[in-house]
Amino acid sequence: LQVSAMTSLKDKYEHPLVDRYASKEMSYLWSPAKKFSTWRRLWLALAQSQQMLGLDISDEQLSEMESHITDIDFDLAELKETEFRHDVMAHIHTFGVICPKAMPIIHLGATSCYVGDNTDLIQIKESLQLLKDKIVKLLSVMKVFSEKYKSLATLGFTHFQPAQLTTVGKRCTLWMQDIVLDLEVIDRLIVDLPFRGVKGTTGTQATFLELFHGDHDKVKELNRMVCEKMGFSKWLAVTGQTYTRKIDYNVLSGLSGLAQSAYKMCCDIRLLASMKEVEEPFGKNQIGSSAMAYKRNPMRSERVCSLARYLMGLPQSAANTHANQWFERTLDDSAIRRMILPEAFLAADVILNTLINITDGLHVWPAVIKAHISLELPFMATEVILMQCVVAGGDRQLLHERIREHSMASGRRVKEEGASNDLLQRIAQDEAFAAVHDKLDQLLDPALFIGRAPEQVDDFLAEVIDPILASNAEKLSLVSVDGVNV
């Protein structure tokens, strides 16, 4: 059977998180090139530190290793792994082919988890930093939106039933508040993430103690030196063969929190889009439906909800993995971690890219919002009408009953006949409310019903968002976000 070169490239499963959605930056952080070049950096850091502490390792050997960090022969490594059935040994030998002088001291005293686990932690830390930068970018875009619409009144909803008015900008700050809390979690994860370090086969550092002839201080110093060379100021005091998989659970829980916030925000946007109050960015030639040509579906928000639902489920896998680690280590953590760690970060990356895209182009339709308010505002205005009539000398209980009767009658008319809300007309014809007849129109200004929403937006942006943006100003100017596939 002959197949074309193009067809042969498409006869394997393609992961949509990489091939369709994720940014180049996050895809690289979880790529083989990043992973295995980091292994080599770890081997170099170990050898450099061992030399400084007195082991017989030459400058020539270190220089040889340093010169070949990124030129990895992946084909040879694949052949070696087929031969050895061991990925770390395959890459040691692959590295040794281009570093023949250093080959005798590569991986000296270490176990596979020295490169495997420490690399995972490096990838996690750098991925968290990338997500943090994008969260800050998202907040900067959302700030513009919330500020622009801080005074635009809109229906609030409780139980998904019309409630007291809020503003479009105030609602946006609710989404932002959740994301700020997620940012705080991710910040803590970055600061507190420990390195596994140099711990040996079962975590006792026995091989390193042997290398340094029983010198405990040198073994401790070796661990410190390697951790700091790899950019970590904290490390686990004790480990088994691996770092505790509790760390994976904590990290994925933080990403799950971000997914929850994204889902809530995009679910709100989808509901608002169905009411035609807001609209996602929509390309000139974009097609919403193959059958219904008129449709403008909130596809970006739907994608966020879909990926967020997946990401929210991943901590359960991490929890089960941690709970099932027997004694110092079992290998049933390996295959699942190869999937859930990169996929969690790739999904979070796609979610943030898409949220930035949505918010940056989210279109608001004030006329539709005003029409929806006009249907409900007469009911909301009754409390103000009641208070003003009482101040003018009216009987509170009598007025309350009259409002109840008129509201029920008007509501029945709206529901049974599909007619407009005539509550205010009924009140205008009822002499019990004569005290407000000449100012009913004034009492229907939506601005009277939004409370401190605009001021709350101003306070929130000044007290919460601006300090975040200021402290990350340098990174904010460097953040790039790949285009969003639709």
Side-chain angles (χ1 to χ4, degrees):
L1 179 64
Q2 291 185 339
V3 292
S4 68
M6 182 62 71
T7 302
S8 67
L9 293 175
K10 294 295 180 180
D11 61 2
K12 291 183 179 179
Y13 174 71
E14 295 178 345
H15 202 303
L17 281 174
V18 176
D19 296 315
R20 187 172 178 85
Y21 300 136
S23 69
K24 295 181 180 68
E25 303 102 315
M26 189 62 79
S27 295
Y28 170 72
L29 288 178
W30 293 94
S31 68
K34 171 66 176 178
K35 175 179 178 177
F36 296 118
S37 64
T38 303
W39 283 16
R40 292 186 176 187
R41 289 188 174 90
L42 281 160
W43 283 322
L44 176 61
L46 179 63
Q48 288 172 332
S49 302
Q50 288 171 333
Q51 184 204 51
M52 293 177 68
L53 291 170
L55 293 191
D56 186 16
I57 296 173
S58 69
D59 290 342
E60 187 178 16
Q61 287 173 311
L62 296 179
S63 178
E64 188 179 56
M65 293 172 70
E66 194 167 10
S67 299
H68 296 287
I69 296 295
T70 59
D71 52 338
I72 302 168
D73 187 339
F74 288 101
D75 292 334
L76 177 59
E78 188 174 339
L79 287 174
K80 291 292 185 183
E81 186 169 354
T82 302
E83 177 185 353
F84 299 142
R85 311 303 301 171
H86 196 290
D87 56 350
V88 174
M89 288 304 297
H91 277 271
I92 289 172
H93 282 263
T94 301
F95 198 16
V97 167
I98 52 173
C99 300
K101 294 175 183 175
M103 180 60 171
I105 54 91
I106 294 173
H107 199 71
L108 184 59
T111 188
S112 297
C113 286
Y114 168 69
V115 288
D117 274 29
N118 283 325
T119 292
D120 289 341
L121 291 166
I122 290 168
Q123 290 174 299
I124 288 170
K125 186 172 185 177
E126 292 182 12
S127 297
L128 286 170
Q129 185 61 59
L130 179 58
L131 293 182
K132 175 185 174 179
D133 294 346
K134 291 188 177 185
I135 291 172
V136 173
K137 173 67 174 177
L138 173 61
L139 290 173
S140 74
V141 176
M142 295 179 79
K143 175 190 173 181
V144 174
F145 182 89
S146 61
E147 204 162 31
K148 180 177 180 180
Y149 295 108
K150 67 181 181 182
S151 299
L152 179 59
T154 189
L155 285 175
F157 289 89
T158 58
H159 312 275
F160 199 35
Q161 302 300 311
Q164 193 174 65
L165 299 189
T166 182
T167 69
V168 173
K170 170 63 192 300
R171 179 176 285 142
C172 181
T173 64
L174 300 183
W175 304 332
M176 295 171 76
Q177 178 65 82
D178 285 348
I179 293 168
V180 167
L181 295 175
D182 299 322
L183 177 61
E184 291 172 356
V185 171
I186 286 176
D187 252 334
R188 286 196 297 273
L189 287 170
I190 292 171
V191 171
D192 293 338
L193 188 71
F195 212 40
R196 175 191 178 274
V198 181
K199 295 294 196 294
T201 306
T202 58
T204 65
Q205 299 176 310
T207 52
F208 297 106
L209 191 62
E210 183 72 24
L211 283 172
F212 290 106
H213 307 292
D215 190 329
H216 290 266
D217 289 337
K218 283 191 174 182
V219 175
K220 291 173 66 176
E221 182 64 7
L222 176 68
N223 182 70
R224 184 195 66 78
M225 290 172 67
V226 170
C227 291
E228 292 183 354
K229 278 180 179 290
M230 301 311 296
F232 284 76
S233 59
K234 296 181 180 180
W235 46 86
L236 290 168
V238 293
T239 72
Q241 186 174 93
T242 70
Y243 69 76
T244 171
R245 298 315 186 207
K246 173 73 78 173
I247 291 175
D248 295 342
Y249 173 75
N250 289 343
V251 169
L252 265 59
S253 294
L255 300 189
S256 171
L258 176 63
Q260 294 158 31
S261 301
Y263 197 113
K264 189 264 188 290
M265 172 180 169
C266 285
C267 190
D268 284 355
I269 290 173
R270 291 164 65 190
L271 292 171
L272 292 169
S274 75
M275 297 158 60
K276 297 184 174 18
E277 292 194 2
V278 303
E279 218 164 48
E280 284 186 358
F282 200 84
K284 180 180 178 182
N285 297 313
Q286 183 176 331
I287 297 172
S289 167
S290 61
M292 296 166 280
Y294 59 87
K295 293 196 77 179
R296 295 181 64 152
N297 300 327
M299 294 169 62
R300 292 167 171 85
S301 293
E302 290 172 315
R303 175 179 304 159
V304 167
C305 290
S306 181
L307 291 171
R309 190 181 308 127
Y310 176 70
L311 178 50
M312 285 187 285
L314 293 182
Q316 184 61 48
S317 294
N320 286 329
T321 300
H322 173 248
N324 279 285
Q325 287 301 287
W326 302 348
F327 301 115
E328 280 66 48
R329 193 267 170 98
T330 56
L331 196 60
D332 60 350
D333 66 337
S334 179
I336 193 167
R337 293 178 69 255
R338 289 175 190 264
M339 295 184 289
I340 63 174
L341 288 179
E343 288 180 8
F345 281 101
L346 289 164
D349 181 64
V350 179
I351 287 168
L352 286 172
N353 287 347
T354 311
L355 287 179
I356 293 168
N357 178 269
I358 291 170
T359 309
D360 194 37
L362 191 62
H363 195 88
V364 176
W365 297 109
V368 177
I369 293 173
K370 183 178 180 181
H372 290 160
I373 290 175
S374 69
L375 294 175
E376 305 295 338
L377 196 56
F379 295 119
M380 298 175 192
T382 55
E383 187 173 355
V384 176
I385 291 170
L386 175 65
M387 291 301 102
Q388 295 215 6
C389 288
V390 170
V391 169
D395 182 323
R396 191 267 176 195
Q397 310 311 331
L398 173 64
L399 292 167
H400 185 278
E401 177 59 19
R402 298 294 294 158
I403 288 174
R404 188 191 70 80
E405 292 172 354
H406 289 317
S407 296
M408 294 301 105
S410 179
R412 186 165 55 250
R413 181 173 181 267
V414 170
K415 295 171 184 175
E416 292 179 356
E417 303 173 22
S420 61
N421 187 333
D422 67 346
L423 175 59
L424 291 181
Q425 289 92 320
R426 292 171 183 269
I427 289 175
Q429 295 166 9
D430 189 332
E431 286 303 313
F433 300 96
V436 296
H437 280 172
D438 62 345
K439 50 184 175 181
L440 277 177
D441 289 342
Q442 299 172 34
L443 298 179
L444 286 180
D445 181 359
L448 299 176
F449 298 88
I450 60 175
R452 295 192 63 253
E455 291 75 19
Q456 286 181 335
V457 172
D458 287 337
D459 291 346
F460 176 72
L461 296 181
E463 296 168 13
V464 179
I465 300 301
D466 286 346
I468 293 172
L469 300 184
S471 63
N472 292 277
E474 184 178 349
K475 286 294 184 70
L476 189 59
S477 64
L478 299 175
V479 172
S480 66
V481 178
D482 288 357
V484 174
N485 275 326
V486 179

